[in-house]
Amino acid sequence: MSTTAERAFESPTRDWTSVVELGVLGAIWGACFMFQRVAAPEFGALALAELRLALGALVLLPFLWRARQLFPLRVWPMLALLGAINSAVPFALFAYAAQRAPAGIGAICNSMAVLFTALIAFLFYGEKIGLRRAAALFAGFAGVVVLASAKTAGASIGLAVAAGTGAALLYGIGANLIRSRLVGLPPIAVAAVTLSCASLELLPFALTHWPEVMPSTRAWLSTLALGAICTGAAYAIYYRLIVRIGAARAVTVTYLVPLFAVAWAWLLLGEP
C-alpha cells in the first residue's frame, strides 16, 4: 500500500495553495540575497555562512529528531559530504559574492542550479537532455558569460559571478547525489542533517575569520532572517511542496528567485 507521500508524487495535486506557496517561497529565497548583501560586508563570508547554517539547522532539527531512527550509520559519511557540497561551500560562496555584487547577481547565478543538475545527470547518470533543455543550457551559460563581462555601478562583478556559478554547480552535484544515494530518506530530515554537518564543517574556518568589530543591529537582524526564515523555514516549505506537487514542479521556484531578489534589492536597498 502506498503512503500519502508516495501518492502525492504519483498524482501531484494542482491547487491554488501550491501556487501561493511557490510564490511565497520565491519571495523568501529572493530576500535571502538581499539579507546577504546587508550582512556579508560586516560579518564576512565565512562567519555569515556559519551563522546561516546553524540557525537553519536549529529550525529543522525537530524534523530530524522525529525521523532519527531512519538514518543508519552507513549513510552518515555521504550526509557529511553532502553537507559540504550542498550547503557549507555554496553558502560561503554566495556570501562572498554578496560582498562584491548587487543582490540580483547572486540570485541569477543561483538559477543555474537547475541547468547544472540536468547537465550532471546527463554526463554521469545517463539521463537524456533533449533539444529544448540543451537550448536552455546554452542560453543559461551565455547569460553567465554576459554577467561576468559586465560592470555594475562601475565595478567589475566577474569574481562574484564566478563564485555564484560555482555554488550553483555544487548544488547541481548535490541534487544528483541526494537523488542517487539517499533514496527513501525523508527529505526535510536530510536537509536538517546536511545543514548540521555543514555547520560543524565550516565552524573552524568561521572562527578564524570572525569579525573583529561587532556587526550592527541591521546586520544581525538580516543574519537572523537569513538563517531562520530564508534557510530553515524555506526548506520546510520547499519539501512540503515536493511531497504535494512533485520535485519537478517544486524546483521551478528557482526561476522566481531572481525576479524577487532584484525587486527586493531595488525597493529596499536602492540597487539599480
Side-chain angles (χ1 to χ4, degrees):
M1 182 178 294
S2 62
T3 65
T4 302
E6 288 168 344
R7 289 196 298 272
F9 276 110
E10 291 166 2
S11 302
T13 301
R14 297 179 180 179
D15 58 14
W16 284 106
T17 303
S18 299
V19 174
V20 171
E21 286 190 7
L22 277 171
V24 170
L25 185 58
I28 291 173
W29 273 343
C32 87
F33 292 94
M34 176 188 68
F35 290 133
Q36 288 183 101
R37 183 65 171 157
V38 172
E42 296 189 44
F43 278 99
L46 295 175
L48 179 61
E50 172 61 28
L51 289 168
R52 179 184 181 185
L53 289 165
L55 289 167
L58 285 174
V59 172
L60 296 180
L61 278 179
F63 297 98
L64 174 59
W65 179 254
R66 289 191 301 180
R68 63 189 183 280
Q69 295 180 344
L70 300 176
F71 288 83
L73 288 177
R74 60 181 174 79
V75 303
W76 281 90
M78 177 56 63
L79 290 167
L81 176 62
L82 277 168
I85 291 176
N86 213 44
S87 298
V89 179
F91 283 12
L93 286 173
F94 276 125
Y96 173 86
Q99 292 177 289
R100 291 161 174 80
I105 300 301
I108 293 168
C109 293
N110 179 69
S111 68
M112 292 287 292
V114 178
L115 303 178
F116 279 127
T117 300
L119 182 60
I120 291 165
F122 168 73
L123 291 174
F124 298 102
Y125 294 92
E127 292 192 12
K128 295 182 179 180
I129 288 183
L131 183 60
R132 286 193 299 176
R133 189 173 291 183
L137 281 169
F138 176 79
F141 285 120
V144 171
V145 171
V146 171
L147 273 178
S149 62
K151 290 182 179 292
T152 300
S156 175
I157 57 170
L159 287 176
V161 171
T165 304
L169 172 61
L170 290 174
Y171 281 155
I173 296 171
N176 280 283
L177 287 175
I178 290 171
R179 185 167 55 185
S180 63
R181 302 293 183 87
L182 299 176
V183 177
L185 294 177
I188 195 165
V190 170
V193 174
T194 54
L195 287 175
S196 300
C197 290
S199 177
L200 293 174
E201 291 161 353
L202 194 61
L203 182 60
F205 303 99
L207 290 176
T208 59
H209 291 80
W210 203 257
E212 297 179 0
V213 178
M214 175 64 72
S216 66
T217 301
R218 183 170 179 253
W220 272 109
L221 291 175
S222 294
T223 302
L224 289 171
L226 177 65
I229 299 174
C230 298
T231 305
Y235 269 88
I237 296 171
Y238 180 58
Y239 286 117
R240 171 187 168 93
L241 279 167
I242 287 177
V243 171
R244 182 188 297 148
I245 65 175
R249 290 181 176 87
V251 77
T252 58
V253 70
T254 309
Y255 295 114
L256 295 176
V257 173
L259 173 65
F260 281 105
V262 172
W264 288 130
W266 173 61
L267 286 169
L268 301 178
L269 300 182
E271 289 188 353

